[in-house]
Amino acid sequence: MSTETLQPAEWARPKGYANGMAARGRMIFISGQVGWDGQGHFTSDNLAEQVKQALRNIVRVLEEAQAEPRHLVRLTWYVLSREAYLREARDIGAGYREVLGKHFPAMSVVEVRGLVEQRALVEIEATAVIPDDEADRYGASTS
């Protein structure tokens, strides 16, 4: 297998993310995605709904690379409010599982003062790796 979850044996298991991931293959870097649709329109001012849409946007970019959510190795979330993130954690988790399933890559959540898009409550960057054997099937270059 070309992807491995890194979990020190003496550490408590994390909930909803991995401490680390090791991967080999075609790397995909996805810029920060916010909770708007493909035409740049926000449909909600609710954090959990914006997270869900940002994750859908990530999946759409993955599809362009012939990749899937299981290829994600890292997510970095930028949120405007730590309190809102914690308050809506249950709904955020449900939306996450609906869009990405039960794949939990390395993740960080960072509270920021502001985002460039005025209505955005969250921005999520992603890194994915398609293992060499899968990338070869699609004719994608791994170099």
Side-chain angles (χ1 to χ4, degrees):
M1 174 173 247
S2 296
T3 304
E4 174 187 3
T5 300
L6 304 174
Q7 174 61 37
E10 71 277 13
W11 287 15
R13 293 199 76 66
K15 295 178 182 168
Y17 64 95
N19 283 305
M21 299 286 289
R24 177 178 305 200
R26 180 174 182 230
M27 298 180 71
I28 302 157
F29 302 93
I30 301 174
S31 66
Q33 298 297 307
V34 296
W36 60 18
D37 63 20
Q39 279 59 59
H41 301 113
F42 286 92
T43 58
S44 177
D45 290 316
N46 171 275
L47 176 59
E49 287 300 316
Q50 284 196 17
V51 164
K52 195 169 170 181
Q53 182 60 50
L55 294 172
R56 284 186 194 119
N57 296 343
I58 288 168
V59 169
R60 182 63 189 101
V61 175
L62 287 171
E63 290 170 352
E64 282 296 300
Q66 297 179 321
E68 301 172 7
R70 66 187 172 89
H71 295 119
L72 289 167
V73 295
R74 179 160 188 76
L75 295 173
T76 304
W77 303 43
Y78 303 95
V79 297
L80 289 184
S81 170
R82 176 183 177 270
E83 289 76 23
Y85 176 83
L86 293 173
R87 184 176 55 250
E88 296 184 41
R90 183 169 295 211
D91 291 336
I92 289 169
Y96 179 101
R97 289 184 302 280
E98 181 180 325
V99 177
L100 299 183
K102 292 188 177 185
H103 175 68
F104 303 106
M107 286 190 245
S108 298
V109 178
V110 181
E111 182 181 44
V112 296
R113 182 177 297 180
L115 298 166
V116 172
E117 295 304 326
Q118 196 167 20
R119 281 184 68 186
L121 302 175
V122 62
E123 186 166 332
I124 306 173
E125 295 177 334
T127 304
V129 178
I130 301 175
D132 289 333
D133 60 339
E134 291 182 44
D136 291 343
R137 270 186 269 167
Y138 298 116
S141 171
T142 57
S143 55

